[in-house]
Amino acid sequence: MNKRPMYIIGTILCSILAAVAIILIFITSGRDSEAFKIIYACFATWMIFGVYRGLTHLFYKPDKIPSPTFEGVDYNVIPVPDNIVIKDFFNPLAMRFRTVGSLFILCVLWVGMVYFNPKFTIYFWILLVVTIIVKGFILIRYLNLNEAKNTLGKVILEQTGNFDVCRYDVTAQLINKTDTTPEHVIEPISPYVNVSGSYKDYLNDISQFSIEQRHILSVNWYISEVYGDGHYEFLTGPYGMLYLDAIDGLKAIGADKYAKILESAAAEFDGLNNPLLDLDRRAEAITHLNLNFEDADDAIYSLDEYGEAIQALQMTYIRSHVNNFLFSNPQKH
């Protein structure tokens, strides 16, 4: 749903009402003028805030800070302290328009209590107590949600082996250093790409990065898994969902021989014609066919026993696309 027209209309309306309220402040006179001027001033403030919120929605461009998900649920790569959540919750510039409206009503009741009739006192205190209770309940929900995100993030990062990953920026200087490895370039973004959930989660996370980063990430994970445990463990584990991405990545960096080895392995369970991106279905198919992929393992080791050649190909590719690998880690700053 396109809400832009609504924001435009709302911003214009708030601008007009704010101008009217400001004019009324200066032309109001008489016995109760002070009380009405306070009300007009509070109303003008509310409308000016509405203009601010409207312009924010119309012109705000979200920062491209990765927001990893697990089965559609956001999680925190690095735990967020409760004091940060509380600070953000009470940030006046982040308040909702209706929240400021509630404060305006409280102001009106206070003016009525002080300037007009004591009977407004009960209504003022009732609304104040209700507001505190509601906002307190919402704050508790925010804190509980933050705790859940912190816990989920910790579990996921521990399972993927990225819990202690170095948090640093990837700069052109880092990329061009002679001792830089593909891991140095990829590790800072790997915690933001979830492979413990569904392939949809993975696509959502990886879409925030360049195609070049996607190529190297999939190749690097494939190579790490295969040289560690072999093709069987790679294809029957969570990283196996990237086998098609790894094939594309290998071809992109000029590692066609490596790509053919992985293609041959995938062809054994018809994974090229009928992609099996779901872990359970892929593992079931491989188990049903009694595959072990020893030929693929032998081919990799015969081609590049220690993985040095494929590492060099990755770095050549990275250095030829430097600008597409730059990354400022939001958790570092």
Side-chain angles (χ1 to χ4, degrees), residues 67-115:
S67 179
T69 59
F70 177 78
E71 296 186 356
V73 179
D74 292 345
Y75 64 87
N76 297 327
V77 174
I78 292 181
V80 176
D82 285 345
N83 66 299
I84 298 297
V85 176
I86 295 172
K87 180 180 177 182
D88 290 341
F89 183 81
F90 288 105
N91 179 6
L93 296 180
M95 285 185 180
R96 292 179 178 272
F97 181 71
R98 60 174 176 265
T99 299
V100 180
S102 299
L103 297 178
F104 167 71
I105 295 173
L106 277 171
C107 175
V108 171
L109 291 175
W110 177 84
V111 170
M113 176 180 68
V114 174
Y115 288 89

Side-chain angles (χ1 to χ4, degrees), residues 19-30 33 36-37 40:
V20 171
I22 291 171
I23 292 172
L24 288 173
I25 292 173
F26 291 101
I27 66 174
T28 298
S29 60
S33 61
F36 282 108
K37 285 182 179 180
Y40 295 146

Side-chain angles (χ1 to χ4, degrees), residues 15 46 91 99 125 135 148 170 188 209 224 271 313:
S15 300
W46 182 24
N91 179 6
T99 299
W125 286 108
K135 291 302 177 183
V170 178
F209 299 100
S224 297
L313 286 173

